[in-house]
Amino acid sequence: MSSTPNTRRTPAVSGAGVWSGGPVVAVVGAYGHTGRFVVAELLRRGATPVLVGRDREKLDALRDLAPDAPVRVASTEDAASLDRALAGAVAVVNCAGPFLTTTLPVTEAALRAGIPYLDVAAEQGVTATLFDSYDERAREAGVVVAPSLAFYGGLGDLLATAALGDWPDADEITLAYALDSWHPTRGTRLTGESNAGQHLVHSGGRLRPFGYSQEVFAWDFPEPFGTGDASEFATADQVTLPRHVRTPEVRAVMNLAPLRDIRDGDTPEPVPADEGGRSAQTFVVEAVVRRGEETRRAVAGGRDIYAVTAPLVVEALERILGGRFAAPGVHAAGAAFDAPDFLRALTPVHLTRLDLPSAAPVR
């Protein structure tokens, strides 16, 4: 990309994925389940997180994780409070759901501050709004806006981009998600309620309402899941991928076990199973890209879909602040970064499995 980056507050980046100079990064929704993982990942890489949220008591409770981090109370309904919260930060990561109500106010605050905006939103509609309505504004402001850098969104986009290699387009992209379980957080429950009836699919070259079909079919997932029953699913990847890949169809499927969990109101929240707070949940994601009679695949696997979101969004942030991508505008993960290199940077700590096509040259 040849665009000139916004370098007003860009810190230095040292080798081995660790910043020098301790860049200050505002984390909105820092006390949420995913927000805590993001704060921990920022600390691990040497950044200084600013803990932002509407509840002072919950922010103060984060002192066990980040005892020296600044705490700033702000509401997405109060623009002035957001401006104060972002003052002095080099970037903002929005982890506050439901994103249907938080994305645009925090993006507006980032544009006013002239700093990169990243989020971990799974809600397709608001991510589409950023691409449709904020790209020109972000370019004019010299600001990078990178939405849906999460398990549902960024990971599938990166895998599909890596699978494409040197192909300029595809006839169809399928993202196959296999989870051994899905214990939803309170935030996931709230998002599901606020986003009900608003899911989308990319079919026939455009976004269409999701049909919510309960049709069950057999699907051959990568090991250790293997062949099993699956159903159609709607993800943020179906919004981000068509923004930089010419394809008429982006399909997502998921095995039935996690779908049953998420639909059951009695399924408990995730329980930490290691010292890092990750649950025991395991996942595999496969991107299948078809062009004519040829097919290419890329696979990633790991533990805890919420925990893996943190290194995804923080790795993206590190690359943006380090000048490895700084073109202003609204960008999907696969368009912004070298997808194979990005994914390899997450192995083996965060992605315990990564299978990329070796024969396909990288675009």
Side-chain angles (χ1 to χ4, degrees):
M1 302 281 181
S2 59
S3 300
T4 302
N6 174 14
T7 57
R8 278 176 283 180
R9 300 175 185 163
T10 301
V13 178
S14 62
V18 179
W19 279 298
S20 63
V24 177
V25 179
V27 182
V28 180
Y31 49 71
H33 188 85
T34 301
R36 289 182 64 95
F37 282 119
V38 170
V39 169
E41 183 66 13
L42 286 168
L43 290 168
R44 188 185 73 81
R45 298 191 185 215
T48 299
V50 177
L51 312 179
V52 182
R54 63 170 62 238
D55 190 317
R56 178 71 193 220
E57 186 174 338
K58 291 181 179 179
L59 289 171
D60 287 338
L62 274 179
R63 293 300 189 186
D64 63 326
L65 177 62
D68 300 321
V71 170
R72 296 177 185 170
V73 177
S75 167
T76 55
E77 299 169 358
D78 182 349
S81 71
L82 284 175
D83 291 343
R84 291 191 294 270
L86 270 54
V90 300
V92 57
V93 180
N94 184 13
C95 301
F99 291 92
L100 288 171
T101 60
T102 69
T103 295
L104 301 188
V106 181
T107 302
E108 292 283 356
L111 293 178
R112 290 193 297 271
I115 60 175
Y117 167 91
L118 301 86
D119 71 34
V120 297
E123 290 95 319
Q124 299 166 298
V126 74
T127 295
T129 297
L130 285 181
F131 280 102
D132 292 337
S133 302
Y134 279 77
D135 183 57
E136 184 175 350
R137 290 185 58 196
R139 292 175 187 273
E140 291 174 351
V143 169
V144 177
V145 174
S148 296
L149 283 164
F151 176 80
Y152 294 119
L155 183 56
D157 193 295
L158 288 163
L159 284 170
T161 305
L164 277 163
D166 61 345
W167 285 355
D169 52 45
D171 295 332
E172 182 182 56
I173 297 174
T174 301
L175 300 166
Y177 293 87
L179 285 58
D180 67 345
S181 63
W182 188 354
H183 289 208
T185 64
R186 179 175 178 274
T188 297
R189 292 290 193 197
L190 291 174
T191 294
E193 293 170 5
S194 65
N195 199 43
Q198 300 184 58
H199 293 95
L200 305 166
V201 294
H202 182 78
S203 181
R206 66 181 181 88
L207 285 173
R208 302 172 183 269
F210 182 53
Y212 295 96
S213 170
Q214 298 299 309
E215 179 185 356
V216 175
F217 45 84
W219 193 268
D220 186 16
F221 292 99
E223 294 298 332
F225 291 90
T227 302
D229 289 339
S231 188
E232 297 281 349
F233 189 60
T235 73
D237 325 76
Q238 292 165 292
V239 173
T240 63
L241 272 166
R243 301 292 173 158
H244 65 101
V245 178
R246 296 196 303 273
T247 181
E249 303 290 330
V250 181
R251 183 187 187 199
V253 302
M254 178 174 279
N255 62 323
L256 293 190
L259 292 176
R260 292 193 188 103
D261 284 345
I262 197 71
R263 291 165 182 164
D264 183 352
D266 293 328
T267 301
E269 294 188 22
V271 177
D274 65 19
E275 60 182 13
R278 296 186 305 175
S279 71
Q281 177 201 52
T282 60
F283 66 81
V284 170
V285 183
E286 181 177 39
V288 183
V289 179
R290 181 179 61 82
R291 191 168 186 251
E293 299 300 316
E294 294 185 71
T295 299
R296 291 177 178 174
R297 300 170 184 267
V299 180
R303 273 183 56 189
D304 195 327
I305 64 174
Y306 297 105
V308 80
T309 287
L312 277 163
V313 70
V314 177
E315 178 70 22
L317 176 60
E318 184 173 318
R319 289 171 183 245
I320 291 169
L321 295 182
R324 298 172 71 180
F325 179 81
V330 182
H331 299 281
F337 310 110
D338 178 332
D341 180 70
F342 190 111
L343 291 165
R344 291 188 187 104
L346 302 184
T347 59
V349 175
H350 306 293
L351 295 178
T352 56
R353 174 182 179 180
L354 183 62
D355 305 330
L356 302 179
S358 57
V362 177
R363 293 187 298 170

